Amino acid sequence: MPKYKLTISYDGSAYVGWQIQPNGTSIQGLLEEALSTLLKTQTRVIGAGRTDAGVHALRQAAHFVSEQECDTSLLLRSMNGMLPHDIRVLELELVLDTFHAQYSAGGKEYHYHLWLGPIVTPFVRLYRHQVTFPLDLELLRRAAQEFVGTHDFATFANLGSSVKTTVRNIKRIDVVEQEGGVRLEFEGNGFLYKMVRNIVGTLIEVASGKREWHEIRALLAAKDRRAGGIAAPARGLCLMHVKYENLECAKTHSPKL
Amino acid sequence: MPKYKLTISYDGSAYVGWQIQPNGTSIQGLLEEALSTLLKTQTRVIGAGRTDAGVHALRQAAHFVSEQECDTSLLLRSMNGMLPHDIRVLELELVLDTFHAQYSAGGKEYHYHLWLGPIVTPFVRLYRHQVTFPLDLELLRRAAQEFVGTHDFATFANLGSSVKTTVRNIKRIDVVEQEGGVRLEFEGNGFLYKMVRNIVGTLIEVASGKREWHEIRALLAAKDRRAGGIAAPARGLCLMHVKYENLECAKTHSPKL
């Protein structure tokens, strides 16, 4: 049965998160509803990973299996016709049977946006976390480097997902100045539940003088969530993209029927 | 009695417009409510001009008169504490008695944002008008130039405001390419009710081949709203700023009490 990859962009403000939950509307739920209606059969959508309530995505990835070959261009337009405007399917492509949105993912990039001025512009209010006390950006940069590399991130992972290991590799954390504040760019092979927000929370503590940057090594060594800082709010976080190695080669083409 | 100038930014999506109206929540209404509560007396807020339901403002201007001298920095913060996050007071300053937000205004700048791609990114969905048919940008630019200069804009003004004259001067209309489409920058000494949206509607008709650019001169000469094109939607429009000549000189300083 043909398998399709979805690339989806969403403003997470109105949702309980990516994953279907009993307590509200989820992005996964709306995608499954649209696809099940259009394909006339119950269709499951598997995401590259879940994002929490209020977290956004520029390019989330997912896959689904269809009983029949689809007209991808028509299906994409039909899905966008059914979905609310804060969720858009950007791409829909046929992939090899071996593709899996979660297991084939080679890495992810997240951006966390901090607003450092006194007044948040209305137009970005849903996409920035405002910090009203002064932050030392040099300390922020220094502290961020402590997280780069391969570490056991148990201190920075909330319970809520069953994972084999809490060891992850963070390739880079860049602190980039932008209008109104800074953007923290996280790139890594994978992130645990609430890991980016927990790290950002700790970085804010360091940059505001509540913690020393050299304590971070001990925090990581503790492997205890209770040792870590509080999570930064969801609104500042955006999943930028999910990386798949050799996806181009894996892509198959529609046979002419 | 001391007079104050407000600079206000708002996302107009949730409002019936700038002006107080019986049928819903207005930006002017919320500002008056906040000021009246904080100053403990009914306070009127006079805007530089009204913006329609769904129209946004980066820097709208307004003024109010207070019975007593205010601590501007404290008042600004208190107002923002009471207002919803889609309305922010950016500046609050003491001005001369002679200042009037509407009558002292020397000019305004509006931007109209067109999205020309097939899928509008969720993050700008409230600030773009999507055009799904092809537009000829050269025709758009050519047609825009027909509106530049001093003209009687009666054809492009909706009823709804009592004005002495429908003659206005448009200093420039620039068509600037940006992510996902183009931005039409309008600068002029003043704009009539729905004038920018009516002009944009006509420009879209020309750029999509429904009208010829050289018809515009006759449309202006007709001085009849029925001759003009339909208004482009509110969501694409943003009041960028209101210009005041010599405001710096007019500004007074708090006397030490």
Side-chain angles (χ1 to χ4, degrees), chain A residues 85-192:
Chain A
H85 290 278
D86 51 7
I87 305 177
R88 292 290 91 179
V89 179
L90 303 180
E91 292 165 16
L92 201 167
E93 47 196 323
L94 186 64
V95 285
L96 282 183
D97 237 18
T98 50
F99 176 83
H100 189 287
Q102 189 185 349
Y103 305 135
S104 309
K108 279 180 189 164
E109 185 169 342
Y110 278 98
H111 288 181
Y112 196 95
H113 300 271
L114 292 176
W115 185 274
L116 303 176
I119 302 163
V120 184
T121 305
F123 308 101
V124 296
R125 70 191 185 282
L126 302 171
Y127 318 117
R128 300 288 183 273
H129 167 47
Q130 183 184 24
V131 176
T132 50
F133 38 82
L135 292 189
D136 181 326
L137 294 185
E138 277 322 300
L139 271 177
L140 188 72
R141 286 197 174 89
R142 182 64 195 82
Q145 294 326 301
E146 293 295 297
F147 290 102
V148 174
T150 302
H151 302 283
D152 187 327
F153 285 97
T155 301
F156 299 92
N158 282 34
L159 296 173
S161 57
S162 53
V163 286
K164 283 181 206 143
T165 167
T166 46
V167 174
R168 292 290 184 278
N169 177 270
I170 295 185
K171 203 173 145 189
R172 66 177 180 97
I173 304 177
D174 287 333
V175 180
V176 182
E177 297 192 36
Q178 67 181 13
E179 200 197 334
V182 291
R183 172 175 81 236
L184 283 71
E185 301 186 354
F186 288 78
E187 205 184 319
N189 67 346
F191 294 89
L192 299 161

Side-chain angles (χ1 to χ4, degrees), chain B residues 1-4 35-45 63-71 75 92 94-95 97 255 257:
Chain B
M1 294 200 290
K3 197 181 250 189
Y4 295 90
L35 272 174
S36 300
T37 304
L38 292 164
L39 301 178
K40 298 184 181 70
T41 178
Q42 194 59 38
T43 306
R44 286 228 58 195
V45 172
H63 78 256
F64 67 93
V65 172
S66 166
E67 286 175 8
Q68 291 153 24
E69 186 108 357
C70 309
D71 177 336
L75 186 57
L92 200 166
L94 186 64
V95 286
D97 238 19
L257 296 175

Side-chain angles (χ1 to χ4, degrees), chain B residues 53-66:
Chain B
V55 173
H56 316 291
L58 186 70
R59 293 177 71 83
Q60 164 74 296
H63 78 256
F64 67 93
V65 172
S66 166

